[in-house]
Amino acid sequence: MSPSHDTAVRPVTEDEIPAWLNALNTGFLRAPETLTPQELKDRSFHIDPSRTLAAFDPTAPAAQPVATFRSFPQELTAVGGRTVPADAITNVTVSPTHRRRGLLTWMMAHDLAAARDRGDVVATLIAAEYPIYGRYGFGPATWTTEWTVDVPRTGLDPRWSGPADGGRVDLVDGAAVRALGPALHDRLRAAQPGAVSRDERWWRINTGDLRLSGSWREPFYAVYRSAAGEVEGMVSYEADDTWRMKQPQNTADVNWLIATSPAAERALWHYLCSIDWITKVKCGWRAPDDLLPHFFPDPRAVSVTTHADWLWVRILDVVRALEARTYAGTGTLVLEVVDRGGFADGRYRLDAGPDGASCVPTSEDGDLVLEVADLATLWLGDESAVRLTALGRAREQRKGAAAMADALLRTSRRPWCPDIF
């Protein structure tokens, strides 16, 4: 599909990146910025102009783009621990003066075609608004929950002074996080379906080593080491300064917490709830089935403040996506995938088992018919084909096919993406 005749959509040049960044601010309702040369260098060194799209209206009085779109390479962990190459989409905006002209549709089609040609198995994004991306074949593949912990109600022993398992919690600085964090995160994402890769820039930005604005506030960092000295968990958090009637009412806000063992998770959450003056802990983005509430004697002390879709996935290569993951049971299923974008349309025979799968295009009749967006919701194991069938989003052509799909595809723990991008 082409955009409207009065607008040109194309990759930007390096000289156009400052204008592109200001168009991005406009789309996200942020004030325009005048960047110093160093700030511009820091903002743009990770931007690949060939994967950075903009729409220009030659009839407008200013040369600033009226739409923005960017993608970058990413790895996404499938069920079983294998990673697949992903086209991570971000910075998507259309200026309010140029809505409903097909700009997003054109940019999305251009980017997804390029991703397919590169050999990416899926595309990913975090959706600011729910209704937009389903029409491009994306489905919500992971969800997130934020909790608030009412510390006095948890039932924790106020005399807690450290883990009882022989491990220890230490405060560290940003340099230590940059040194220890990448290896810890790699171990986490090897076991966590839905997790995505973090590059060096992520660690630099999230520890203040690379500052993209003047508003950086240094957080606290704590590391959990097991009794054997292994780094198994890490947390970044901030705290406010709230007092009422000479009584502390402070809140600890968790920026992120990653851990490779339940012992590390338990120790870090107990540590946060043991800090003097802290009466509430806001946990940040967690998996919907996170263990957090049950680390406390009274789980009701932990209340849900947000529950929403998180990582959206668009499958570009059905064969490689289904062969990349493992399966809870053994069985054969023929999936008929409807893809209006044309990337994944067809019938596929899946022969699956706990050690992996074979998937091939087939002319056999489909057992289960569904849109590619709904296949994405099933792929990481979070959604139920039986539920989709009840909702009219999947159709059984063989009785019991939806139950078979659930037996193969669903996972015992829900997928989780710790990151926003």
Side-chain angles (χ1 to χ4, degrees), residues 23 48 51 67 81-82 110 115 152 177 179-180 184 259 261 279 308 319 347-348 358 361 371 373 394 401 403 408:
D48 178 352
R51 296 180 66 165
R82 289 179 60 188
H110 176 90
V177 171
L180 300 172
L184 175 67
S261 70
T279 59
V319 169
R347 297 174 188 166
Y348 302 87
S358 167
E371 301 269 351
L408 294 176

Side-chain angles (χ1 to χ4, degrees), residues 43-106:
R43 292 281 185 91
S44 61
F45 86 90
H46 69 292
I47 294 176
D48 178 352
S50 70
R51 296 180 66 165
T52 304
L53 302 176
F56 295 89
D57 184 350
T59 68
Q64 178 167 300
V66 295
T68 64
F69 189 110
R70 183 172 70 86
S71 68
F72 61 93
Q74 186 184 73
E75 291 182 346
L76 172 63
T77 303
V79 176
R82 289 179 60 188
T83 62
V84 297
D87 175 52
I89 294 171
T90 187
N91 299 154
V92 178
T93 73
V94 176
S95 295
T97 54
H98 285 70
R99 300 169 67 243
R100 303 295 184 263
R101 304 191 189 187
L103 299 180
L104 175 55
T105 297
W106 192 94

Side-chain angles (χ1 to χ4, degrees), residues 180-200:
L180 300 172
L184 175 67
H185 181 261
D186 282 345
R187 294 200 303 276
L188 168 69
R189 71 184 180 101
Q192 180 59 63
V196 297
S197 51
R198 292 178 178 176
D199 59 14
E200 179 189 6

